[in-house]
């Protein structure tokens, strides 16, 4: 079946550090999204990025669909960035297939 | 900014009882979804709904589950006879098109005791 793999599974940073989260997928992609799940469990949309590069403040994302991966960059991390980051891909059907997530902890 | 809203935010129910989880998708969206997340695990697709019918469902979405769009704004998930393993966070989502950005509600945390 469709595989979405995220790495690393866990990441601990000091405030102010930069990080890169990776998402590999096994098949072609029509839609790729990055989400942040906050401590209350809410899924917050970060990027809709089937291809190319987007930036939003301290966050940016790049998807290289031909090589089947996407990267999420977090610069100058803050404690409020803590949580779980999910990527999810949509292929030939409507459903999103989620990875297992990267749990980020930013320490003050 | 338009958002997907879900009610209730938390629900505790006894095993064997029926529950209905409610969602109001973004008003001009045409595709509606339910996902669930068992504690500590990844988000899993349950069902997609378009044009007043189920367009896709997962193996999880068995006969105890049903969805309905009873009016022009609400989208519901019914679990007929809850089991302990149904305890999870249930997310509703909507999108304007079949392969456009999906937006998620804040979730309903269901606990079956």
């Amino acid at each position: 079946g469709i595989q979405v793999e995220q790495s690393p599974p866990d990441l601990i940073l000091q405030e102010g550090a930069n990080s890169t989260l990776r998402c590999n997928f096994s098949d072609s992609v029509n839609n790729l999204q990055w989400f942040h799940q906050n401590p209350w469990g809410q899924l917050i949309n970060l990027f809709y990025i089937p291809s190319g590069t987007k930036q939003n403040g301290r966050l940016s994302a790049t998807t290289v669909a031909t090589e089947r991966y996407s990267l999420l960059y977090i610069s100058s991390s803050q404690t409020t960035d803590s949580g779980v980051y999910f990527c999810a891909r949509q292929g030939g059907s409507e459903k999103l297939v989620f990875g297992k997530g990267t749990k980020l902890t930013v320490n003050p | 900014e338009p958002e997907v809203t879900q009610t209730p935010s938390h629900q505790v129910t006894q095993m064997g009882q029926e529950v209905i989880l409610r969602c109001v998708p973004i008003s001009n969206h045409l595709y509606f979804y339910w996902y669930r997340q068992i504690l500590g695990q990844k988000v899993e697709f349950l069902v997609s709904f378009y044009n007043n019918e189920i367009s896709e469902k997962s193996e999880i979405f068995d006969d105890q589950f049903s969805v309905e769009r009873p009016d022009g704004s609400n989208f519901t998930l019914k679990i007929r006879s809850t089991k302990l393993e149904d305890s999870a966070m249930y997310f509703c989502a909507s999108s304007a098109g079949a392969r456009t950005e999906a937006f998620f509600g804040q979730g309903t945390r269901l606990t079956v005791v």
Side-chain angles (χ1 to χ4, degrees):
Chain A
I2 301 166
Q3 300 289 331
V4 179
E5 296 181 355
Q6 292 187 243
S7 60
D10 294 277
L11 185 59
I12 300 175
L13 301 174
Q14 285 300 122
E15 203 167 22
N18 303 328
S19 62
T20 301
L21 282 58
R22 187 176 180 101
C23 174
N24 292 333
F25 38 91
S26 61
D27 206 344
S28 60
V29 61
N30 288 317
N31 171 10
L32 189 124
Q33 294 187 231
W34 282 96
F35 298 90
H36 175 217
Q37 187 166 42
N38 65 21
W40 297 272
Q42 295 175 304
L43 285 171
I44 310 299
N45 284 44
L46 295 178
F47 294 101
Y48 168 70
I49 186 165
S51 64
T53 297
K54 290 185 177 179
Q55 180 155 7
N56 184 3
R58 296 182 295 103
L59 302 182
S60 64
T62 294
T63 296
V64 184
T66 53
E67 297 186 22
R68 298 180 181 172
Y69 72 88
S70 184
L71 302 174
L72 177 69
Y73 305 95
I74 305 174
S75 64
S76 303
S77 58
Q78 301 175 359
T79 56
T80 51
D81 295 332
S82 295
V84 183
Y85 289 80
F86 289 102
C87 73
R89 88 168 263 287
Q90 185 184 47
S93 72
E94 298 152 9
K95 68 182 181 186
L96 283 170
V97 176
F98 282 73
K100 292 183 178 180
T102 292
K103 182 178 179 181
L104 175 65
T105 303
V106 181
N107 292 320
Chain B
E1 184 175 326
E3 60 181 12
V4 177
T5 57
Q6 291 185 241
T7 54
S9 55
H10 295 88
Q11 177 139 10
V12 180
T13 189
Q14 288 201 325
M15 192 169 51
Q17 295 297 306
E18 175 183 286
V19 295
I20 298 176
L21 310 183
R22 291 182 165 80
C23 169
V24 178
I26 294 173
S27 63
N28 62 343
H29 284 185
L30 301 177
Y31 290 80
F32 315 115
Y33 313 88
W34 285 100
Y35 292 79
R36 80 171 186 189
Q37 183 184 31
I38 294 171
L39 186 63
Q41 299 186 21
K42 67 178 182 180
V43 180
E44 301 174 290
F45 168 78
L46 291 178
V47 65
S48 59
F49 192 86
Y50 168 72
N51 200 25
N52 282 321
E53 61 182 24
I54 291 173
S55 50
E56 187 177 358
K57 62 183 180 179
S58 71
E59 292 178 352
I60 304 168
F61 194 88
D62 61 21
D63 291 344
Q64 69 162 341
F65 291 93
S66 62
V67 290
E68 191 177 30
R69 188 158 164 81
D71 54 43
S73 59
N74 292 285
F75 181 51
T76 62
L77 174 69
K78 181 192 291 186
I79 309 175
R80 287 190 185 82
S81 178
T82 50
K83 305 171 190 169
L84 294 176
E85 54 264 37
D86 293 328
S87 295
M89 179 79 100
Y90 287 81
F91 292 102
C92 173
S94 69
S95 62
R99 292 176 181 79
T100 60
E101 186 175 8
F103 294 86
F104 283 69
Q106 79 277 23
T108 293
R109 188 171 299 281
L110 176 66
T111 302
V112 182
V113 297

